[in-house]
């Protein structure tokens, strides 16, 4: 089994994981923990155990645990795929101002996943909160909203500004994992998936 504090993700490549305790017992790590895991090395039992650890952290009020659990539900990693549960945990993390959770909620509202219906106003609101904190996937979403008049008045100057901000960043592995959650849900993306990964 992958021993604590290492957490698994099923994406090929590296994933940055934070919000877990280091030697001094606090949850503010001195640096990211990078985990290299592929589908070939992570059993369903290990994924389920990791999801349980995320749930325990989330139930203690840890925003990173809530975010991780939400993405597990979006991707069906270690738990059965459930968009409603994903949104529940993403909302908890987003309320604690975790920018990737805010970006994830934007994706859910844009695609009508785990929410009553697509809501571009809510997608724009959540993406804007994350975009202001430098999340490239959210900056792209804000740019797409401005370009198409989704949830906001069309403004090509603002669209170009946000797309330019996003293009200056390298999309992190965690943002790519979040984008994967949108595509994997079996619901077509409201926004071209290429833009979710542009960076």
């Amino acid at each position: 089994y992958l021993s604590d504090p290492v957490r698994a993700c099923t994406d090929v490549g590296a994933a940055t994981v934070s919000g877990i305790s280091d030697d001094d017992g606090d949850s503010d790590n001195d640096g990211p923990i990078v985990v290299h895991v592929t589908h070939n090395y992570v059993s369903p039992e290990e994924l389920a155990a990791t999801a349980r650890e995320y749930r325990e952290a989330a139930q203690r009020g840890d925003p990173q645990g809530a975010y991780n659990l939400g993405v597990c539900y979006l991707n069906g990693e270690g738990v059965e795929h459930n968009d409603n549960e994903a949104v529940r945990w993403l909302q908890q993390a987003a309320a604690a101002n975790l920018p990737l959770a805010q970006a994830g909620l934007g994706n859910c509202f844009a695609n009508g996943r785990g929410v009553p219906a697509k809501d571009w106003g809510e997608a724009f609101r959540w993406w804007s909160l994350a975009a202001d904190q430098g999340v490239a996937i959210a900056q792209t979403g804000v740019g797409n909203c401005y370009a198409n008049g989704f949830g906001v008045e069309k403004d090509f100057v603002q669209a170009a500004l946000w797309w330019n901000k996003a293009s200056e960043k390298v999309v992190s592995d965690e943002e790519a994992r979040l984008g994967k959650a949108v595509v994997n849900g079996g619901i077509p993306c409201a926004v071209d998936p290429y833009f979710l990964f542009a960076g």
Side-chain angles (χ1 to χ4, degrees):
Y1 181 74
L2 298 173
S3 63
D4 189 58
V6 176
R7 303 289 194 260
C9 86
T10 60
D11 294 316
V12 174
T16 301
V17 181
S18 60
I20 52 181
S21 296
D22 51 14
D23 292 335
D24 60 2
D26 62 18
S27 63
D28 61 321
N29 296 310
D30 297 325
I33 295 172
V34 178
V35 182
H36 293 278
V37 182
T38 68
H39 286 288
N40 298 331
Y41 298 108
V42 180
S43 71
E45 294 80 19
E46 291 171 323
L47 288 174
T50 300
R52 281 192 300 275
E53 291 176 20
Y54 291 155
R55 179 180 305 283
E56 290 168 8
Q59 289 172 336
R60 288 191 309 269
D62 177 14
Q64 187 68 48
Y67 166 75
N68 290 338
L69 184 59
V71 174
C72 285
Y73 275 111
L74 283 173
N75 286 327
E77 296 174 344
V79 294
E80 188 172 326
H81 172 249
N82 185 323
D83 289 340
N84 293 330
E85 279 295 301
V87 167
R88 173 183 168 212
W89 294 108
L90 289 174
Q91 285 175 328
Q92 179 179 320
N97 205 33
L98 194 67
L100 283 174
Q102 294 166 338
L105 278 178
N107 291 348
C108 289
F109 278 104
N111 291 286
R113 292 186 61 188
V115 296
K118 285 184 182 183
D119 185 335
W120 286 106
E122 281 297 295
F124 179 78
R125 181 173 81 86
W126 287 109
W127 279 336
S128 293
L129 290 170
D132 287 340
Q133 295 179 73
V135 177
I137 195 171
Q139 291 170 334
T140 300
V142 169
N144 290 341
C145 286
Y146 275 118
N148 294 291
F150 293 155
V152 66
E153 190 172 324
K154 266 189 188 182
D155 185 331
F156 293 113
V157 172
Q158 284 294 314
L161 177 120
W162 284 105
W163 286 335
N164 187 53
K165 284 183 182 189
S167 73
E168 293 171 352
K169 298 189 178 307
V170 174
V171 175
S172 72
D173 291 323
E174 191 64 15
E175 287 181 88
R177 183 171 181 245
L178 181 59
K180 174 188 165 206
V182 174
V183 176
N184 277 355
I187 299 170
C189 289
V191 178
D192 184 340
Y194 168 77
F195 290 112
L196 293 174
F197 301 104

